[in-house]
Amino acid sequence: MQYQNESEQINRKQQLLRREIYDKGYDCQAFQDYMEQLKVNGGQDVNIWTYQELQEAISLFQTTNQPQMETIDLDDVSCRQSEFNDQVQFEAQSQDEQLPKIQQDQQWQNQKQQCQTIQNDIHEEIVAKPSVDNDRFYQKIHLCKLQDKKMILTAKEINVSITKFEKIQGGLLSASYYIYIINTEPIGWNVQRRYNDFLWLREVLNKIYPGRYIPPLPKKTVLKNDQELYLIKRMKFLEKFLQCLFQSELIRHDKWFYAFLSIKEEKDFKHIQKLSTQLSRVTKLEQIISLDGQVQLQINDNLVTYNHESTSLINQIDLSYKKLRKESKQLLLDFDQLSNTIYNMGQTCTDLYQFSNKFNQSISQGKISKLDILYISMNNMLVQWGNNLTAQIKIVQEELCSFFKFHHHSITSLKEFIKQKEQAQQEYEKFKSKLELKKHKLFTQQDFNRWEVPSIQIKALQDSNLTQNREVCLAIMLPQETTLQEELKNIFAFYNYQQFSEIDSHLENTVTFFSEHFIKFCSLQKEMLAEQKLVWDKSIVNFNNLHYPQQIILKKT
């Protein structure tokens, strides 16, 4: 049976639609509406669909819809053929005595043709599978594990914070280390965790949730650093890690994350960590955990474009965040240098006051007391200005340097996630290319013994004159390797969709996080300006009193 003729192609598609939608009892109108959503006029014109696209669309529709009437199992097709043959034979025998021989021969010829039609349909079921691998449109829903939600974590107003750090002194056989106090409110959880516990949690989550963005942790240092500023920055970084995890509804309900936040006794937590050593990295789609028990598999032109452009965007953001980190550090140095310069100017004004005061103390007439007051006022103005700039150093450190450091590391983690998709794509395309070459070679050789196809299927091909149909033969040969290719394709399609989903979510969250953060930053700057304004106002009053003789307002340092 050849499908090169256009009318036969249309007939084949219509048979597919009737067999998979109408005969199985699905709502035809709902299916037409669904096809309209996938393509313009997709529910009206069968010609705009290839057989492969049509079969994939039907498969996706059937995963999300239920038949409306009792259906017939397609595995019963051989039984239907047997029943049909028995019925034909019975009817023929009952008419043998009534028909002349020529009419009997004609009757048997018609029955033979009907049997052949049924046989051809059966052969089509066996061998006429879609073989055109259309990677420009591939969409499926794959069932997986369902996340077990914890009711206690469903409340919206839950906050995870690290309130402080403490140093635990070591003994003769153990070194000292720091613990971080983690509070989860309003639940009331209060636990102590070491930095290595955070590393353990991230490693576990990366194993269990492939295709999911897991936020970064600060790097592990070789040498211990006991400086308070370093420990504060590290604590804030760890806190952001936990808060980002909690923002993900899927991760929030993870049992290992739940244990990390809630188990107070150290021995119980160590037991949990010991149990986690039995975990293996998730590599099968059915092992993946999701909120609804299913994952999206998609490959299409729109996703290809999005993922290409988003990868470029992430690389550009990575470079820009790195630059902002460097510039924030420079701003920190600039404020430090500026404040020191202003303090030095204030010290010079103190020297001027001492010179003036010594002069006035050494003479009996011609004293200029206003000169002392002038230098003191200048010193006050400069010292308070320097204090304001010193406060800016803390703001720049926490609100700019630490902030951009965390988000730069976040982009680095996102780039590692993108590599997973690229590796999955490379593995699939490499395997697919090799398998296609192997199949074409086997088809050319026509060595059926190496096709790894059951003899009954080869017989069906030969009876149907399909052994020279490249499309059909490539579809059925080497079934095990073809199945492996399909698995690799599904894994790539999963990561392909997840890159879109995770980057889209990350960029949306970036807008939220950055907006909230810089609202706080601007409010701090507003407060600093208000304080500095008071400094200028008081200085103006002091200098006015010197310039225009009035009651002198003097505030000594």
Side-chain angles (χ1 to χ4, degrees):
M1 183 183 295
Q2 300 292 330
Y3 298 115
Q4 297 176 356
N5 185 279
E6 184 177 352
S7 63
E8 290 183 359
Q9 285 280 11
I10 295 174
N11 183 53
R12 185 184 178 209
K13 294 174 189 176
Q14 290 173 342
Q15 288 179 0
L16 175 66
L17 290 170
R18 181 178 182 84
R19 182 173 65 248
E20 295 296 324
I21 301 299
Y22 182 81
D23 290 346
K24 290 188 177 183
Y26 288 93
D27 187 337
C28 295
Q29 185 59 49
F31 177 74
Q32 285 184 334
D33 295 339
Y34 171 79
M35 299 295 278
E36 286 287 338
Q37 295 175 4
L38 297 180
K39 281 189 179 184
V40 178
N41 294 327
Q44 306 295 328
D45 186 5
V46 73
N47 289 326
I48 66 176
W49 298 90
T50 66
Y51 191 89
Q52 170 78 2
E53 291 175 343
L54 200 58
Q55 193 170 57
E56 291 170 348
I58 290 172
S59 176
L60 187 58
F61 175 81
Q62 290 174 339
T63 60
T64 55
N65 292 270
Q66 295 296 326
Q68 293 184 322
M69 65 180 187
E70 184 178 355
T71 61
I72 299 174
D73 191 347
L74 289 179
D75 292 336
D76 293 334
V77 65
S78 60
C79 296
R80 295 200 303 271
Q81 184 203 11
S82 177
E83 292 170 0
F84 179 85
N85 290 340
D86 291 342
Q87 181 181 358
V88 168
Q89 186 176 1
F90 174 79
E91 292 175 353
Q93 290 174 351
S94 65
Q95 296 175 13
D96 278 349
E97 298 177 356
Q98 302 176 19
L99 294 173
K101 189 175 186 308
I102 187 170
Q103 291 178 324
Q104 182 178 343
D105 292 342
Q106 183 64 41
Q107 183 74 14
W108 273 105
Q109 185 66 29
N110 292 337
Q111 292 164 359
K112 184 178 179 181
Q113 291 177 357
Q114 290 177 337
C115 287
Q116 185 62 43
T117 301
I118 295 295
Q119 185 71 29
N120 289 342
D121 290 341
I122 294 171
H123 287 169
E124 184 174 351
E125 286 285 345
I126 296 173
V127 302
K129 298 178 180 178
S131 62
V132 179
D133 190 7
N134 188 359
D135 284 345
R136 296 186 61 186
F137 179 84
Y138 185 76
Q139 185 170 344
K140 282 185 179 180
I141 293 178
H142 198 288
L143 298 182
C144 63
K145 292 182 179 180
L146 182 66
Q147 182 68 286
D148 179 23
K149 290 188 178 182
K150 284 78 176 171
M151 289 300 297
I152 196 171
L153 296 175
T154 55
K156 293 183 179 180
E157 301 300 327
I158 298 178
N159 182 52
V160 181
S161 62
I162 301 180
T163 55
K164 61 179 180 178
F165 55 85
E166 295 178 1
K167 186 174 184 177
I168 305 299
Q169 296 295 339
L172 291 175
L173 301 176
S174 61
S176 60
Y177 59 90
Y178 284 91
I179 59 170
Y180 299 89
I181 312 302
I182 305 170
N183 286 342
T184 306
E185 299 296 345
I187 300 175
W189 291 336
N190 183 278
V191 297
Q192 300 177 358
R193 297 288 181 257
R194 299 177 61 174
Y195 173 77
N196 285 340
D197 297 330
F198 287 85
L199 287 178
W200 164 83
L201 176 62
R202 190 173 192 275
E203 181 182 354
V204 167
L205 295 178
N206 271 323
K207 281 184 178 180
I208 300 174
Y209 299 100
R212 299 285 180 178
Y213 163 75
I214 306 298
L217 285 172
K219 294 180 179 179
K220 190 171 186 176
T221 56
V222 178
L223 300 176
K224 287 187 177 296
N225 191 332
D226 291 332
Q227 293 183 0
E228 184 178 8
L229 179 59
Y230 168 82
L231 293 169
I232 290 174
K233 292 193 295 182
R234 196 173 186 81
M235 182 181 73
K236 294 294 183 183
F237 202 123
L238 294 173
E239 183 180 69
K240 284 187 174 70
F241 168 76
L242 295 178
Q243 290 173 346
C244 284
L245 287 178
F246 211 83
Q247 288 294 323
S248 167
E249 186 180 4
L250 178 66
I251 305 297
R252 183 193 315 168
H253 292 280
D254 176 78
K255 65 180 181 180
W256 305 100
F257 187 39
Y258 181 90
F260 180 91
L261 295 176
S262 62
I263 295 180
K264 192 174 182 67
E265 294 296 327
E266 184 177 1
K267 63 177 183 179
D268 294 335
F269 184 66
K270 292 298 181 185
H271 177 66
I272 292 295
Q273 289 181 313
K274 186 177 180 180
L275 290 176
S276 72
T277 59
Q278 302 174 12
L279 288 173
S280 300
R281 187 172 297 276
V282 171
T283 57
K284 301 291 185 181
L285 294 180
E286 54 270 18
Q287 297 173 338
I288 291 173
I289 303 172
S290 73
L291 290 172
D292 56 1
Q294 59 186 27
V295 290
Q296 291 276 354
L297 314 180
Q298 284 192 26
I299 304 173
N300 58 57
D301 290 345
N302 290 335
L303 273 185
V304 169
T305 301
Y306 181 92
N307 288 341
H308 174 75
E309 295 299 328
S310 64
T311 299
S312 176
L313 173 63
I314 293 301
N315 289 331
Q316 292 168 344
I317 290 176
D318 179 42
L319 293 174
S320 297
Y321 281 1
K322 185 177 181 180
K323 187 176 180 181
L324 283 169
R325 283 185 63 188
K326 182 179 179 180
E327 291 168 342
S328 297
K329 290 180 180 179
Q330 184 60 49
L331 182 60
L332 200 65
L333 295 174
D334 291 343
F335 270 120
D336 185 58
Q337 182 178 358
L338 181 59
S339 61
N340 286 334
T341 300
I342 292 174
Y343 281 140
N344 290 336
M345 292 176 67
Q347 181 59 48
T348 302
C349 290
T350 299
D351 295 339
L352 286 172
Y353 162 73
Q354 292 175 349
F355 298 150
S356 172
N357 181 261
K358 182 179 179 181
F359 169 76
N360 285 326
Q361 294 292 330
S362 63
I363 60 175
S364 57
Q365 67 177 29
K367 295 182 178 181
I368 307 178
S369 58
K370 288 184 178 181
L371 191 61
D372 292 350
I373 298 172
L374 171 67
Y375 293 146
I376 291 175
S377 298
M378 291 170 61
N379 171 266
N380 289 343
M381 175 193 70
L382 291 169
V383 168
Q384 292 176 29
W385 187 13
N387 290 341
N388 188 287
L389 290 173
T390 300
Q392 284 282 11
I393 293 175
K394 183 179 179 181
I395 293 175
V396 170
Q397 177 64 63
E398 294 182 359
E399 309 302 328
L400 294 181
C401 292
S402 297
F403 178 79
F404 286 119
K405 179 180 180 179
F406 175 80
H407 287 282
H408 180 232
H409 282 287
S410 295
I411 291 297
T412 302
S413 296
L414 203 59
K415 289 173 68 176
E416 293 173 357
F417 162 77
I418 292 173
K419 285 183 180 179
Q420 293 179 346
K421 189 272 294 184
E422 293 174 345
Q423 289 172 355
Q425 182 176 1
Q426 290 171 4
E427 288 179 10
Y428 162 62
E429 291 177 347
K430 182 178 180 181
F431 187 90
K432 175 187 172 185
S433 178
K434 287 185 177 180
L435 186 57
E436 284 179 348
L437 289 174
K438 184 176 181 180
K439 284 187 174 184
H440 283 291
K441 184 177 180 180
L442 291 175
F443 175 78
T444 303
Q445 294 173 345
Q446 289 287 293
D447 185 355
F448 302 135
N449 293 328
R450 297 174 61 191
W451 287 17
E452 299 178 9
V453 176
S455 57
I456 187 174
Q457 208 165 357
I458 295 293
K459 181 68 165 56
L461 283 172
Q462 293 171 335
D463 292 345
S464 304
N465 297 321
L466 287 172
T467 54
Q468 296 302 315
N469 187 312
R470 185 180 294 269
E471 178 183 349
V472 172
C473 292
L474 294 180
I476 68 166
M477 67 172 60
L478 304 177
Q480 292 184 350
E481 293 179 69
T482 302
T483 299
L484 179 56
Q485 176 183 312
E486 195 67 18
E487 291 175 357
L488 290 173
K489 181 177 182 178
N490 286 339
I491 292 173
F492 162 50
F494 165 73
Y495 279 108
N496 194 54
Y497 179 80
Q498 282 303 117
Q499 178 175 339
F500 158 73
S501 177
E502 292 296 311
I503 290 182
D504 181 69
S505 176
H506 182 86
L507 295 178
E508 288 287 346
N509 289 336
T510 296
V511 175
T512 301
F513 293 154
F514 276 55
S515 298
E516 292 176 352
H517 178 81
F518 283 105
I519 287 173
K520 176 184 176 183
F521 177 79
C522 292
S523 298
L524 290 172
Q525 291 299 325
K526 184 179 177 182
E527 293 173 4
M528 296 298 296
L529 287 174
E531 292 178 5
Q532 186 59 43
K533 182 177 181 299
L534 290 176
V535 173
W536 300 136
D537 289 342
K538 291 178 181 178
S539 298
I540 288 172
V541 171
N542 287 336
F543 293 129
N544 272 332
N545 288 334
L546 288 172
H547 186 57
Y548 304 103
Q550 295 177 11
Q551 182 179 358
I552 297 177
I553 300 177
L554 177 61
K555 290 187 180 286
K556 296 184 179 181
T557 58

